[in-house]
Amino acid sequence: MRRPAWVGHAIWWQVYPLGFVGAFPTSGEPPQPDQHRLRRLVDWFDHAIALGASGVALGPIFASRTHGYDTTDHYRIDPRLGDDADFDYVVAEAHRRGLRVLLDGVFNHVGVDFPKYREAQHDDAAARWFRGRPGRFHTFEGHSGLVTLNHDNPEVVDYTAAVMAHWLGRGADGWRLDAAYAVPQRFWAATLPRVRERHPDAWFVGELIHGDYAAMVEEAGFDSATQYELWKAIWSSLNDGNFFELDWALQRHNEFLARFPPLTFVGNHDVTRISSRIERREHLAHALVVLLTIGGVPSVYAGDELGFRGVKEERFGGDDAVRPEFGSPPVPLDAFGAEVWGLHQYLLGLRRRHPWLHAASTSAVRLSNLHYVYETRSGEHALLVALNLDDEPLSLAADELGAGRARVEAGSSAPPQEIVDEVVVEPHGWRILSRA
């Protein structure tokens, strides 16, 4: 399957719009369309560019009752955010700056205000839009407000394809397909080719959490999938001092890369922020180094680049802490926030200078619980990455550097572009090297 060429250079800055602009949750009177809150995103586009991103991945923006994943009308911008004109403005301003726009589509389930669901109580044709029967329709993961669509109904296929094509025609560049793991692959296989016929340069990423990613991507016809396996392995290996877990995940990642480029991340709107997840502050850098030196399509969740903290809890409202409202830029930063911002800028800049990393695979050069040195390579291009979790320095001998000499591209100490015969990585430090 031909994938859009532009994705090879994509680095996403991900935003959850309803939270970002203070539209959900709210107290008192709900936001109104005439407040045009969606336009507030544009104030942050220059920030995304300064970060090094090339696209903005939006969370749900379509009409819903609560958090956006209980869609009421896929053809209508959520009134709490604004209207069609606001959407057009956001897309135009993004494209004017060279930023792509990714939308979040919920096609596994809908909210209880979805018109067909209301009709289904007394209309057999409408009832066939959903799994189950009136009074006993299936719900998504036990959430009574999320009613599961019947993906074997051709009308649901028609509707989904039409919705995706509509917003691509309005300027969107692709879709993240929410809860794609809960939808039969045959549904996507029937839907996506119809959309691609009209929009061959669009990109489609399925939200997958576990299972045989590669098989699901190929059966469904996705371009990519969310790499949750690697997300977990990154922070878990750093916290546990167990690089064997990360190496195992990267070997799996290599297998995926041979068949599709996964969407990689260390944070998003559904998980605890990486600054809160990592137990030792100095190991946050290690997580970012891994994210931005391996193959795939990296994504940075808005606020992570500023050192924001937030813990997701398994309760009603448990996502609120990781989906806060943002004011107008710039955000005043403390010393930690400034350090995290600078690190993101530098590593995203390195990623942009080495676009071949999109297709790079990794192989271990040295592996122990507390030391991980890996080569990341695509064809003739290669970097060497050294991560040290130990309280003692990590020394790399000449033979581990390949040619015997190396250029320091980045690190927790040592000046960039320095040529060295031996590399010593300080305790809890890191290096990115190229062979000199």
Side-chain angles (χ1 to χ4, degrees), residues 109-375:
H109 50 268
V110 295
V112 294
D113 292 331
F114 190 71
K116 285 290 184 183
Y117 177 72
R118 289 185 167 183
E119 297 169 16
Q121 310 307 317
H122 52 77
D123 184 294
D124 289 345
R128 287 194 289 272
W129 273 58
F130 306 97
R131 291 182 58 203
R133 62 181 187 274
R136 300 193 66 178
F137 286 126
H138 295 194
T139 57
F140 174 60
E141 297 183 347
H143 298 286
S144 60
L146 305 177
V147 188
T148 304
L149 290 165
N150 175 14
H151 299 98
D152 292 324
N153 185 339
E155 292 184 18
V156 176
V157 175
D158 293 343
Y159 176 81
T160 303
V163 167
M164 287 198 282
H166 172 81
W167 293 105
L168 291 169
R170 295 286 294 267
D173 296 286
W175 286 90
R176 171 193 176 271
L177 302 171
D178 182 70
Y181 57 88
V183 178
Q185 276 80 62
R186 62 181 179 274
F187 171 81
W188 301 118
T191 304
L192 296 181
R194 294 170 54 176
V195 184
R196 285 194 176 97
E197 285 179 6
R198 297 174 60 182
H199 301 281
D201 209 31
W203 187 65
F204 302 91
V205 54
E207 184 193 18
L208 303 182
I209 297 178
H210 47 68
D212 189 342
Y213 288 6
M216 287 189 279
V217 165
E218 291 180 357
E219 290 173 18
F222 301 142
D223 294 301
S224 182
T226 52
Q227 230 299 30
Y228 269 96
E229 281 188 10
L230 185 60
W231 161 78
K232 191 271 179 183
I234 290 173
W235 59 261
S236 179
S237 65
L238 295 173
N239 285 346
D240 295 345
N242 178 17
F243 273 134
F244 289 95
E245 179 185 3
L246 179 57
D247 183 67
W248 183 89
L250 284 174
Q251 291 180 49
R252 285 265 293 171
H253 190 65
N254 288 340
E255 295 174 9
F256 300 151
L257 284 162
R259 298 164 76 175
F260 70 95
L263 179 68
T264 57
F265 57 94
V266 293
N268 64 30
H269 65 297
D270 280 331
V271 301
T272 290
R273 284 193 181 272
I274 190 65
S275 290
S276 294
R277 178 70 76 174
I278 295 292
E279 294 174 358
R280 292 192 61 147
R281 173 172 159 173
E282 60 267 42
H283 294 167
L284 174 62
H286 298 62
L288 297 177
V289 168
V290 174
L291 174 68
L292 294 167
T293 59
I294 61 171
V297 182
S299 176
V300 176
Y301 181 48
D304 282 358
E305 77 278 17
L306 303 173
F308 282 19
R309 295 174 174 85
V311 176
K312 175 186 171 70
E313 299 178 13
E314 297 301 326
R315 60 173 178 81
F316 180 78
D319 295 313
D320 296 351
V322 297
R323 301 175 180 181
E325 181 176 2
F326 282 59
S328 299
V331 173
L333 298 177
D334 59 14
F336 174 69
E339 178 185 345
V340 173
W341 168 248
L343 182 62
H344 273 82
Q345 280 191 305
Y346 191 88
L347 291 175
L348 265 73
L350 182 143
R351 179 83 180 198
R352 293 172 69 100
R353 292 193 299 276
H354 299 284
W356 55 268
L357 282 166
H358 171 77
S361 59
T362 60
S363 58
V365 174
R366 182 190 295 191
L367 175 62
S368 67
N369 281 333
L370 301 179
H371 303 143
Y372 192 31
V373 181
Y374 63 87
E375 182 187 66

